Amino acid sequence: MMQHARAPVQNTDVQPHPARGQPRISTDNPFILVRGHAEQDIDTTASRRTRRGDFLRAATWAITERLHPKAQDTTLRVAKDLAARLNADGHVAYCRDAMWRRLGLSRRTLERHIAVLRELGLLAWVVHGSRTNTRPAGSGDWAGTATIYAAVVPRAWDHALGHRVSGHGYHARHIGFTDRGRELAIADARRRARPANRRDTPSWRTNHPRRTAEMGRKNNNTGAPPPRTRRGTARTHRPDVPAPYRATPQQAAHAVSVAAWIRPRVPWTQAEPLRRLAYALRPWIAAGQAPAEIAAELMAWRVPRRPASPAAVITVRWHEETRQPSVGYETPGPAEEVASVPPNQAFRTAAAALRTRLRPQHPPSEPELPAFVIRDRILASLAEAQRAWRARAPEQCHTFAQWEAVCDARERVPW
């Protein structure tokens, strides 16, 4: 025999039917209880680490196979309570004082079943709890060290279910199945996927409509019944999306990217989520406007500093710009203007006196710039800000991600 080979432990003296209170040990799958505390740590255990599902299945298997004379349904209750509190690493705090009250057990009973799980190879110590005070001396408070367990499964359970395991001990890994283990895994997956509430049999209740027989023909048998519809309430269809807001998945993703570019540059839109803002901007994007042009147009609007719903403001503005005259309303032409009475001389004199008195207090304001001038200025300021952003040095960036974004923007700039 090679020096590194490990011979399986065989026990040929075990009876096929053990006496009452004795563990069942199979000759083809030997199992030895882990009695010593020195072999119940994560550094010395022969069991491998696992998660909640396999831990509960292994505990159920060990109790069903009567591998421990003191394992019973209460042991499974304790295992389920521990499994419900496992963290992502498969570790759980013991919390004895809260656990025995939660399960309705005595402290001694709880400690006995925890010891049974350790001897079955289902629990391993990560941290040994102690009554040593961890608070500073003189603080007046006391707090001991918590006991932390790791959920593990014994090698006998992997052998019984046909698992292929790589490594040994706590850090061993489940890497596959044997032929028999693959069959058992498929059967277990089908059993768990089977719905718990099965449909009623047709002999007890009929849920599909039946066609009545037509007696006028030679044969009174009806044809095949209509196909069954899917059970459940009818799905309500969403209302039709207006034409300016319809978009394919690619167009919707492009609208989100445009909204992500516009939102940090238009202050009053920064409180709106990207998807809602992109949906409101779809008409402008569908019209072929560039993101800079849309941002310039939004900045030229007279909007409150922080509107409650920026997307609603954009949607209302679009409908106002594209509104058509209502049905039945006709705009009067020049020939249909209503005749009005011209003002008399006394009204003209009073209006002139009022203008003369108010002119010094309210000097004439500067003429308002045309909209295209304001738009060009905003586009120029956005372009200047973009150039300044690309010209930043590494020390001017707060994070490495910002510096990478600056470098990517420089590479995309045409020569």
Side-chain angles (χ1 to χ4, degrees):
M1 181 181 294
M2 299 179 63
Q3 183 177 0
H4 62 275
R6 184 184 297 270
V9 179
Q10 300 290 342
N11 193 347
T12 58
D13 299 334
V14 178
Q15 300 176 2
H17 298 285
R20 180 177 178 82
Q22 297 297 327
R24 178 190 298 177
I25 302 177
S26 176
T27 56
D28 59 343
N29 184 19
F31 180 80
I32 301 176
L33 296 178
V34 186
R35 299 287 188 180
H37 286 189
E39 299 177 357
Q40 296 176 0
D41 292 336
I42 59 173
D43 297 331
T44 58
T45 183
S47 303
R48 63 176 179 88
R49 63 189 302 181
T50 185
R51 299 296 176 88
R52 179 180 294 111
D54 286 347
F55 172 71
L56 287 178
R57 284 192 285 271
T60 305
W61 170 82
I63 295 172
T64 305
E65 294 292 327
R66 294 187 300 167
L67 299 182
H68 197 287
K70 297 181 180 180
Q72 51 182 317
D73 294 339
T74 306
T75 310
L76 187 59
R77 287 180 55 202
V78 174
K80 290 181 178 179
D81 185 89
L82 294 174
R85 296 185 286 115
L86 287 175
N87 60 8
D89 297 328
H91 297 173
V92 60
Y94 184 10
C95 300
R96 180 188 59 184
D97 294 338
M99 191 172 178
W100 69 268
R101 292 190 182 94
R102 183 167 55 250
L103 296 177
L105 306 174
S106 64
R107 292 188 180 182
R108 185 69 188 98
T109 302
L110 177 61
E111 293 174 355
R112 184 170 64 252
H113 288 287
I114 290 291
V116 169
L117 292 175
R118 290 201 310 266
E119 293 177 358
L120 285 172
L122 296 171
L123 288 180
W125 267 304
V126 180
V127 177
H128 288 266
S130 66
R131 299 185 61 84
T132 304
N133 191 7
T134 58
R135 300 295 174 85
S139 61
D141 299 333
W142 179 88
T145 305
T147 300
I148 299 178
Y149 285 114
V152 293
V153 291
R155 183 60 68 93
W157 182 72
D158 290 327
H159 180 78
L161 269 69
H163 294 171
R164 295 174 53 227
V165 180
S166 173
H168 180 74
Y170 179 73
H171 296 285
R173 295 182 300 108
H174 176 208
I175 60 174
F177 296 91
T178 61
D179 295 339
R180 177 175 172 275
R182 188 175 295 105
E183 296 176 358
L184 294 177
I186 294 174
D188 183 65
R190 290 176 177 174
R191 179 184 57 81
R192 285 185 290 170
R194 188 181 302 123
N197 49 350
R198 299 182 180 180
R199 296 179 178 179
D200 301 328
T201 57
S203 60
W204 185 72
R205 179 180 295 177
T206 302
N207 295 320
H208 58 274
R210 294 181 179 273
R211 299 177 59 183
T212 58
E214 299 178 4
M215 303 301 296
R217 299 182 181 179
K218 183 177 180 181
N219 192 349
N220 62 350
N221 294 330
T222 60
R228 294 184 180 182
T229 57
R230 186 175 182 179
R231 294 187 178 181
T233 58
R235 183 178 179 182
T236 57
H237 296 281
R238 296 180 60 184
D240 294 337
V241 180
Y245 297 95
R246 296 175 186 172
T248 61
Q250 293 78 10
Q251 294 173 349
H254 175 66
V256 171
S257 62
V258 172
W261 189 91
I262 291 176
R263 189 172 65 174
R265 292 167 174 80
V266 182
W268 59 270
T269 63
Q270 294 177 3
E272 192 69 50
L274 278 180
R275 293 187 179 275
R276 295 190 58 178
L277 183 61
Y279 182 82
L281 294 175
R282 283 185 185 179
W284 280 273
I285 299 174
Q289 296 189 16
E293 297 177 352
I294 300 175
E297 185 173 353
L298 296 180
M299 293 178 65
W301 292 356
R302 294 182 180 179
V303 180
R305 185 173 182 180
R306 290 293 181 186
S309 179
V313 174
I314 297 174
T315 305
V316 170
R317 181 64 65 90
W318 169 261
H319 287 295
E320 289 178 354
E321 293 180 357
T322 59
R323 181 179 299 172
Q324 302 294 333
S326 59
V327 179
Y329 177 79
E330 297 181 0
T331 305
E336 300 177 0
E337 294 182 358
V338 180
S340 59
V341 179
N344 53 16
Q345 186 61 32
F347 179 81
R348 293 193 186 96
T349 304
L354 182 61
R355 293 192 190 96
T356 304
R357 189 173 66 228
L358 295 179
R359 187 175 293 112
Q361 299 178 3
H362 301 280
S365 58
E366 297 181 359
E368 187 176 358
L369 295 176
F372 69 91
V373 176
I374 300 176
R375 182 178 178 180
D376 292 343
R377 290 184 180 180
I378 293 175
L379 291 176
S381 63
L382 290 175
E384 182 64 25
Q386 190 73 9
R387 287 193 295 269
W389 181 80
R390 289 197 300 265
R392 289 192 301 176
E395 56 273 7
Q396 295 176 344
C397 299
H398 298 287
T399 60
F400 183 71
Q402 293 181 359
W403 174 242
E404 285 187 340
V406 171
C407 295
D408 294 342
R410 289 178 181 176
E411 292 179 357
R412 289 195 298 267
V413 174
W415 293 95

